Amino acid sequence: MTFPAGSVVELGPQVRQYDAGRVLVGGAPPRLVRLSPRAGPLLKGRRIRLEDPLSVRLAHRLVALGMAHPVTAGLPCLDTALLTVVVPVRDRARELDRLLAGIGGGLRVIVVDDASHDRAAVRRVTARHAARLVCLDTNRGPAAARNAGLREVRTPYVAFVDSDVTLGPDTLPTLLRHFHDPRLALAAPRVLGLSETGSWISRYEAARSSLDLGPDPALVHPRSRVSWVPSACLVARVDALGPGFAEPLRVGEDVDLVWRLAAEGHRIRYDPSVTVRHDHRTRLTNWLARKAYYGSGAHTLALRHGSVVAPAALTPWAAGVAAALLAQRRWSVPVAAAVLTSVSRRYTREATAGTADPRRLAASLTGLALAATAEQTAALLLRHWWPLTAAGCLLSRRVRRVTALAAAADSLLEHRRCAPDLDPLRFTLARRLDDLAYGAGVWAGAIRGRSARCLLPDIRSHAR
């Protein structure tokens, strides 16, 4: 990795500091890191400036672990002549015109027409903006359209931008700055809604879109906080892409690409300081259909990537605590407390030994793990396994009680986190419809594929 001298990296907001800043917890995947007495003082206000060999080594190590992220504004620009933009499109001539106007005239642009019904309209827009047009004879889907454009690229970097996206002239050059890291394969911006007003669905999507991965930067990695990035807008290193997107996939092709690149040892970066706008579906029926469509890709991803697509990843002790509390018996709380006490003691012996206050740090780590377990368990009940939850609610008061509690807690916490321009009642309704539609898609894909693999949690002991 080569960041220029004077660059700055900053700890991610999710990284916690303990023991006067000498112990860091976070990253992708999460881990605990102790800083040496020489390295600790280099971290000033959660930032490290690359000024000498030691600061460079520390910054590179924390970036590689997903604990720190380069401050984009401090990275030098790369020449945009090194970048080509590929835009797959099928009809949507008006949206294409809007996108190309936002890109401006300083970049090479290849428009791939994926068998539009009105090809003349696409041709006129492409010619007006001096872009190159590649036409496909039959509709082959977005993955094949992007690959057709990729085969025409002669620059070391390529940007894939969907036609229903709007961006500014600085968007792609800013993402290009991240490629000072030679192991970086993809960089992606935050995807926000085109409209933040209008119907209650529009306002929900503005705050909680499936494509919006949040305000915090991340090293993208399976089973981490940001485990994928959408193909609505991506900048990529051409040499790293290999064959490109998986053409048989009509949904989930972006997730498949990210996971393949991560498995090959490449890095993928999510940079929310750069934003684009996406024309989300806001009619209720279309919105629900799109959510279900996203969910239907889980089965194919499970076939290609195995347990990485699991709806929850739990250690045996976390699964045991969840099962005990869900049982709602007299022994539930004592059993859960005993397991958590045992885990905290193990952390004290193994993970936090040598710190100033190992018991306090171990208790904090146990609390973080418990919160993650609760979040994943709620997602199973309300999203991935909701057909089973619904059946259980018909038969059991305990299931009804835990489902109501999970739904209320999830909705209130998400409303507080997202701060939408929407009252809690309608936000809760939209949130539950979102989960129901996505979960229905997951189950439909599993039933069609005759496999429950995409529905099974991954329960295994994690390496220290």
Side-chain angles (χ1 to χ4, degrees), residues 19-73:
D19 205 4
R22 293 187 293 271
V23 175
L24 308 177
V25 176
R31 67 196 74 205
L32 182 148
V33 170
R34 295 179 179 87
L35 300 182
S36 71
R38 291 180 60 208
L42 298 175
L43 192 59
K44 301 174 182 177
R46 298 180 66 87
R47 287 189 169 196
I48 303 169
R49 183 174 294 276
L50 281 68
E51 296 175 323
D52 55 57
L54 182 58
S55 63
V56 169
R57 288 199 301 272
L58 176 61
H60 286 184
R61 179 60 174 161
L62 295 180
V63 168
L65 295 176
M67 287 186 159
H69 312 283
V71 176
T72 312

Side-chain angles (χ1 to χ4, degrees), residues 10-14 66 69-70 214-219 225-226 269-273:
E10 184 174 25
L11 293 181
Q14 308 294 328
H69 312 283
D216 299 331
L219 181 68
R225 179 179 57 84
V226 178
R269 183 156 301 286
Y270 170 63
D271 183 359
S273 71

Side-chain angles (χ1 to χ4, degrees), residues 4 9 27 37 57 74 87 90 148 177 220 224 232 244 270 273 287 290 308 318 330 339 351 372 411 413 437 453:
V9 302
R57 288 199 301 272
V87 181
R90 191 177 194 216
R177 295 184 184 193
V220 183
S224 65
Y270 170 63
S273 71
W287 177 72
R290 176 54 53 167
V308 173
R330 291 182 178 179
V339 172
S411 298
L413 290 173
R453 194 170 187 177

